[in-house]
Amino acid sequence: GSVPAPQRLVRRYGTEAPLVASDPAGLEPVAEGIEATHAELRFGVTHEGALDTADLLERRTRIALSADAARRALPAAESAFG
């Protein structure tokens, strides 16, 4: 069957995608040129057990594969723990 969520989230989170997408306001990208959304960062903290911003940006979202992207996403990652 079809999972009621954006396809990019379905590819990444499977059947948990609707949970990730449950807050439409959180579906904005964390920074220009970065696909990951605020909702994904919050999900990484609340459901995947991210321990800190490095864990969130490196392991949970892979944003830190680009040092520039990690720098630009850091404020959003910090607020995900707020």
Side-chain angles (χ1 to χ4, degrees), residues 1-55:
S2 178
V3 177
Q7 284 303 301
R8 189 183 75 72
L9 295 181
V10 173
R11 285 190 302 274
R12 181 163 172 83
Y13 298 97
T15 58
E16 291 186 319
L19 181 60
V20 177
S22 63
D23 176 14
L27 295 180
E28 291 295 316
V30 297
E32 186 176 333
I34 299 173
E35 281 190 343
T37 65
H38 294 277
E40 289 176 85
L41 295 183
R42 281 194 298 274
F43 186 81
V45 173
T46 60
H47 290 79
E48 294 182 338
L51 301 174
D52 54 31
T53 57
D55 184 22

